[in-house]
Amino acid sequence: MTTFKRHRGLTEQAADAAVDQACRMLRLPTIRAQFPELAETTARDQMSYRGFLAELLMAECDERARRRSERRIKSLRAFDFEANPSVDPAVIHTLATCEWVKKGMPLCLIGDSGTGKSHLLVALGTEAAMAGYRVRYTLATKLVNELVEAADEKVLTKTIARYGRVDLLCIDELGYMELDRRGAELLFQVLTEREEKNSVAIASNESFSGWTKTFTDPRLCAAIVDRLTFGGNLIQTGTDSYRLAITQARAAAQGNTG
């Protein structure tokens, strides 16, 4: 059994070795990998100890969330293009090369429930992660709630910066719930932080004309649409739920064999 003895005044080399060993034992691979760079950033930016610890733990949480998303589904190989003819396979496979992520371009996936937009969002995010890009996936409501809490706790700037650093931010289920003006403005700040630098991909069940139900301020709504569409890609996954069609087909097949 390995034990740690705490010593005051560890050299930096000894401290790095201790952190590395502790991360191995505690199975914290992301902290282990990002600790040296974050330590240098912390020293340069004069971040507090609490801020440094928060950054490390959030990095680990983000990576675990990304891995869960990968396991939960979703590769392009699993997407049934034949079941949804609204989606052009050539366009999706071109997006899978991640050139749009390299250029910092946005992507919007618009369609009704069950048409595969969230599947494609996660699948394309997975392709980007496999290509070496830093990717973060979040639900729109979760992101807005986190931003509101960060603003209340006076750490909004650091939270927005954390979302600004990833190469691709995937926001799912945008348009499912109405956002108050404060929430919409905070989301706009994240989009502005990333504009023309790093990519944002969103999945929404509402066409842009219906976004006024989510973003009730018309000017703010127009500005958000502009941030998400300028120079980007728009994929419309249609209105017919292929997920429902598959379920019905399976039920019918079972009925015929029953």
Side-chain angles (χ1 to χ4, degrees):
M1 178 178 176
T2 303
T3 59
F4 289 97
K5 294 181 179 179
R6 287 176 290 181
H7 299 284
R8 294 184 181 277
L10 282 176
T11 65
E12 288 193 1
Q13 185 177 5
D16 288 348
V19 169
D20 186 89
Q21 185 177 2
C23 287
R24 289 176 185 272
M25 292 181 63
L26 295 171
R27 297 180 182 177
L28 300 171
T30 304
I31 290 180
R32 177 172 169 262
Q34 296 192 18
F35 170 77
E37 181 182 348
L38 281 174
E40 291 182 7
T41 302
T42 297
R44 185 173 62 248
D45 297 346
Q46 297 183 323
M47 191 184 299
S48 68
Y49 294 129
R50 285 189 177 89
F52 177 45
L53 177 60
E55 288 285 342
L56 283 173
L57 293 176
M58 286 305 300
E60 188 70 45
C61 290
D62 290 348
E63 179 61 18
R64 291 188 181 190
R66 184 189 68 79
R67 291 199 298 268
R68 280 197 302 270
S69 295
E70 288 184 13
R71 288 194 300 267
R72 210 173 42 232
I73 327 181
K74 302 244 179 182
S75 71
L76 289 180
R77 290 186 297 276
F79 189 82
D80 191 343
F81 289 100
E82 291 185 3
N84 190 345
S86 298
V87 179
D88 186 344
V91 172
I92 300 302
H93 288 122
T94 298
L95 291 171
T97 65
C98 300
E99 189 67 19
W100 60 286
V101 180
K102 180 180 179 181
K103 294 178 179 178
M105 296 165 58
L107 168 66
C108 296
L109 296 151
I110 310 292
D112 284 0
S113 296
T115 57
K117 59 188 181 298
S118 292
H119 184 144
L120 290 172
L121 179 70
V122 175
L124 290 170
T126 301
E127 292 291 326
M130 291 172 62
Y133 293 101
R134 294 168 297 176
V135 179
R136 181 165 184 179
Y137 169 91
T138 185
L139 299 176
T141 51
K142 180 179 181 295
L143 171 58
V144 170
N145 288 339
E146 184 179 345
L147 293 171
V148 170
E149 290 176 6
D152 291 341
E153 295 171 6
K154 313 298 183 188
V155 292
L156 180 62
T157 300
K158 291 177 181 176
T159 302
I160 290 177
R162 189 170 68 246
Y163 276 103
R165 282 197 294 270
V166 296
D167 300 306
L168 171 60
L169 176 61
C170 298
I171 305 175
D172 204 355
E173 297 186 2
L174 187 64
Y176 278 77
M177 292 182 63
E178 178 182 324
L179 301 176
D180 61 22
R181 182 177 180 84
R182 185 188 186 200
E185 287 177 344
L186 292 173
L187 178 59
F188 180 69
Q189 287 186 47
V190 171
L191 300 178
T192 300
E193 173 75 13
R194 300 181 59 80
E195 187 181 16
E196 296 185 14
K197 295 185 296 184
N198 295 315
S199 292
V200 175
I202 65 99
S204 176
N205 66 324
E206 283 282 356
S207 62
F208 294 129
S209 61
W211 280 23
T212 50
K213 289 181 275 185
T214 300
F215 307 105
T216 53
D217 182 308
R219 289 185 179 179
L220 186 58
C221 181
I224 288 173
V225 171
D226 181 67
R227 291 290 190 280
L228 290 172
T229 56
F230 181 73
N233 298 280
L234 171 62
I235 305 296
Q236 294 182 323
T237 58
T239 58
D240 297 327
S241 173
Y242 81 86
R243 205 164 52 210
L244 176 60
I246 290 173
T247 301
Q248 291 173 336
R250 286 174 179 168
Q254 290 174 353
N256 291 333
T257 58

